[in-house]
Amino acid sequence: MAQDLTSERAMLDVADLDVYHGNSQTLKGMSFSVAPGEVVCLLGRNGAGKTTTLRAIMGLMRPSAGHVRLDGVELTALAAHEVPRQGIGYVPQGRRLFSELTVRDNLDIGLMTRKSPRAVLDEVFDLFPRLQERLDQVSGTLSGGEQQMLATARALCINPSVILLDEPTEGLMPSMIATIRDVILTLKGRGKAILLVEQRVEAVLSVADRVCFIENGRVQATSPVQALRDDPSMLTRYVGV
Amino acid sequence: MAFGPFLLLATFEGLLQAAILTLTALGLSLVFGVMRVVNVAHGEFYMLGAVIAWWVSTFVSSMFGMPPAVGFIAALIVSPLAVGAIAMVGERLILKRLNYNPESTIVATIGMLYIIQQSVLLTYGPDARRVAAPFYYRIQLPWFGYSGYNLFVIAAAAVLLLIVWFILSRTRIGLIMRATQFDAETAQAFGIPIDRVYSLVFAAGAMLAAIGAVLVVPIRQAHYLMGLDPLLLSFITVIIGGLGSLRGTVIAALLIGLSDGIISVFFSPTLAKMISTLLVALVLVFKPEGLFGAKAR
């Protein structure tokens, strides 16, 4: 099953991943891949295992079986803090900013990860000019949209080749959702591999290239977005819309 | 002596107490703040600092016939490093294996307390020993004379406090420590090796206590049970100031040290302990997160 989903120049490759939460198995043979310049979306109901998948990729949860490879490097063998250094930027669910630290501190933490060049910061400010005006503001006092920008900017500071985004539009105003979508498309244009967990079907359809439908801890079906636009029956089946 | 000069003397004593308390409580607060570990063995690191200071200064002065100041300076360097190393070994062998679980580490550090205390009793013995002060200078005020060394201790603690503040708020390692404190998991997702941070923080906390102890042994003697009082006072300080809040710890240490010094001089040390314990009870009832602590996240 892993094979037919793995494109040839796969950058991030997740294969047959099993993860347990105590005695209950949350991932059962999770397999998919994301190529450079591609946006892949994991779609499924709550509790299907989407967030667990991202956490397992980051090494924050230890899989009991399976592989996560980035350009052939086995990530499951690495300590959690070594995973981002391979070039994976993580925008966690609920943003998880260091909310008592300033915007600058949050970005600095991203920058020190891989000793990214300062030029990376210029690129980040290009995408999020508003953050540059608020460098000394305590990040917990930013608006929800700005916090999402900061969480994304912090992940971009590590100069990643793969970006994991966990529900980036959760709780945001429509105008901000459009901004986040534009950013994702820009990053895709720069050749980043993007793995997106998202609940809003319309948001998914507007940015993703492929959708993996997750149910019971595994990918039940994968479909190009174009096919879903033409025939939304799969959407009805897996997410009930 | 008239009331005014008496109050001045009491204030000096209180400041001295506050200076040492700030260093020990800061170590405890740092370890709790970053690692969420309640280190019951913290007072024993203080005691170890004093005992190692006695060994080092005695060794230097008896082997090389150096003046007390040299022995003291050697102790000020060697003792905190040795205590930091011992703490780091304890952290690697015990706390890391318990995965820093809050309940288990309390029990484990109680074990560490007895292991350290009894090891010192076996090797150093039950005697209380004094380390010679690096200098004797009596500041003669119109009403009384006061030890210049005591004032040096107060100043040294203030300088150390500034250094700790600078490291935490202005350096890269400080930023790493604060990020780990706020959200260890996210810190990991940004490449921060949190177990190395924990190891470093635990050692640094112990070293702060050890430095406080080295400063204090010329005034009070090194003894294998001397860690108990500072542990209790540090807990009181950290609870009143707010767990994990450095600013709160410093202010609470000043409050407790000063009131302890002043009440001890005017009334009795027992009354001073009763009042600070009562203060803890009141804080726990009315403001459980401490005067400056953040609400539980």
Side-chain angles (χ1 to χ4, degrees):
Chain A
M1 171 145 185
Q3 280 309 306
D4 55 349
L5 293 174
T6 308
S7 68
E8 267 187 28
R9 14 170 241 134
M11 185 166 243
L12 179 69
D13 184 20
V14 174
D16 305 317
L17 211 55
D18 288 351
V19 170
Y20 286 83
H21 263 118
N23 286 328
S24 75
Q25 189 172 3
T26 33
L27 298 189
K28 301 169 187 167
M30 177 66 74
S31 300
F32 60 88
S33 67
V34 191
E38 186 183 33
V39 180
V40 172
C41 180
L42 305 183
L43 199 59
R45 293 189 171 88
N46 283 335
K50 299 169 307 237
T51 295
T52 303
T53 304
L54 299 196
R55 288 167 50 81
I57 292 172
M58 292 309 294
L60 299 173
M61 299 199 73
R62 287 285 147 200
S64 57
H67 302 280
V68 178
R69 294 194 192 92
L70 179 61
D71 285 334
V73 176
E74 180 64 57
L75 299 185
T76 54
L78 300 178
H81 71 269
E82 286 167 338
V83 171
R85 294 178 187 182
Q86 304 302 311
I88 304 192
Y90 181 38
V91 184
Q93 188 174 24
R95 309 187 257 274
R96 300 282 289 263
L97 293 175
F98 300 109
S99 57
E100 296 178 36
L101 303 185
T102 61
V103 171
R104 187 194 306 275
D105 287 340
N106 272 276
L107 295 175
D108 277 345
I109 286 163
L111 285 173
M112 69 172 74
T113 310
R114 293 222 291 170
K115 300 191 172 63
S116 305
R118 293 309 280 197
V120 169
L121 201 55
D122 295 336
E123 278 181 40
V124 168
F125 288 144
D126 252 8
L127 284 172
F128 303 106
R130 208 185 298 184
L131 292 179
Q132 197 166 9
E133 299 158 15
R134 295 176 187 252
L135 280 177
D136 293 315
Q137 190 169 338
V138 172
S139 60
T141 63
L142 297 171
S143 72
E146 288 164 347
Q147 289 192 14
Q148 187 60 50
M149 287 181 184
L150 178 56
T152 312
R154 180 179 63 175
L156 293 179
C157 277
I158 77 166
N159 198 11
S161 46
V162 177
I163 301 164
L164 315 182
L165 292 137
D166 199 344
E167 302 208 19
T169 63
E170 191 185 22
L172 297 187
M173 299 184 305
S175 65
M176 198 52 77
I177 292 174
T179 309
I180 298 291
R181 185 192 58 217
D182 292 346
V183 167
I184 292 174
L185 291 174
T186 308
L187 296 172
K188 168 184 154 78
R190 290 182 188 171
K192 312 275 187 197
I194 296 168
L195 179 60
L196 178 67
V197 165
E198 184 56 80
Q199 301 271 19
R200 282 169 215 272
V201 170
E202 67 290 6
V204 171
L205 294 179
S206 65
V207 294
D209 297 304
R210 275 192 297 144
V211 174
C212 297
F213 292 95
I214 313 283
E215 205 172 69
N216 295 325
R218 65 155 65 92
V219 176
Q220 301 289 354
T222 300
S223 166
V225 157
Q226 193 54 49
L228 293 176
R229 286 201 198 99
D230 299 341
D231 172 18
S233 64
M234 251 191 197
L235 287 170
T236 318
R237 186 173 152 204
Y238 288 106
V239 281
V241 285
Chain B
M1 199 158 30
F3 177 78
F6 205 44
L7 184 66
L8 184 66
L9 176 67
T11 306
F12 280 157
E13 287 299 304
L15 278 177
L16 179 68
Q17 173 92 328
I20 301 299
L21 186 54
T22 306
L23 294 180
T24 49
L26 203 55
L28 192 71
S29 178
L30 193 66
V31 167
F32 179 81
V34 176
M35 303 170 68
R36 304 281 134 180
V37 165
V38 175
N39 180 17
V40 184
H42 192 64
E44 302 316 302
F45 291 132
Y46 174 86
M47 180 273 287
L48 260 185
V51 167
I52 293 174
W54 179 83
W55 261 320
V56 171
S57 63
T58 308
F59 177 77
V60 169
S61 55
S62 67
M63 287 294 282
F64 305 109
M66 294 286 189
V70 177
F72 179 82
I73 291 166
L76 198 53
I77 296 165
V78 174
S79 170
L81 287 177
V83 171
I86 291 168
M88 205 178 256
V89 170
E91 193 273 341
R92 291 285 92 173
L93 290 182
I94 301 167
L95 304 184
K96 180 178 156 70
R97 280 159 203 251
L98 295 173
N99 223 357
Y100 308 103
N101 175 290
E103 287 87 17
S104 315
T105 50
I106 290 181
V107 179
T109 54
I110 292 174
M112 281 165 79
L113 181 159
Y114 285 111
I115 291 169
I116 296 172
Q117 192 183 80
Q118 297 303 309
S119 304
V120 170
L121 177 61
L122 284 174
T123 51
Y124 174 83
D127 302 328
R129 299 185 178 99
R130 210 174 133 267
V131 170
F135 61 88
Y136 285 98
Y137 181 75
R138 202 167 171 74
I139 296 173
Q140 194 54 51
L141 298 172
W143 319 278
F144 58 88
Y146 197 70
S147 155
Y149 179 75
N150 287 13
L151 294 181
F152 162 78
V153 170
I154 295 169
V159 169
L160 269 168
L161 202 62
L162 279 178
I163 293 174
V164 171
W165 171 82
F166 181 83
I167 291 174
L168 284 176
S169 63
R170 293 281 185 274
T171 65
R172 184 186 151 97
I173 182 74
L175 181 58
I176 289 174
M177 281 161 63
R178 284 183 294 152
T180 307
Q181 169 169 6
F182 292 136
D183 187 343
E185 188 180 284
T186 305
Q188 259 185 319
F190 284 88
I192 294 177
I194 57 167
D195 52 306
R196 256 177 270 164
V197 175
Y198 284 170
S199 194
L200 186 81
V201 164
F202 197 70
M207 286 170 81
L208 279 170
I211 293 172
V214 179
L215 290 173
V216 99
V217 271
I219 306 170
R220 288 165 211 167
Q221 299 168 319
H223 182 249
Y224 81 106
L225 291 176
M226 72 186 287
L228 298 176
D229 244 18
L231 177 71
L232 182 66
L233 278 177
S234 296
F235 268 117
I236 290 176
T237 303
V238 167
I239 291 168
I240 291 179
L243 282 164
S245 156
L246 295 187
R247 186 177 53 138
T249 303
V250 173
I251 292 172
L254 271 175
L255 190 75
I256 298 201
L258 275 175
S259 70
D260 196 277
I262 292 172
I263 295 168
S264 298
V265 168
F266 278 98
F267 303 98
S268 83
T270 311
L271 182 66
K273 297 280 180 301
M274 283 167 65
I275 289 181
S276 47
T277 316
L278 182 68
L279 197 57
V280 168
L282 290 176
V283 165
L284 284 177
V285 170
F286 293 107
K287 207 163 182 305
E289 70 276 10
L291 298 180
F292 297 89
K295 298 243 187 225
R297 275 184 296 270

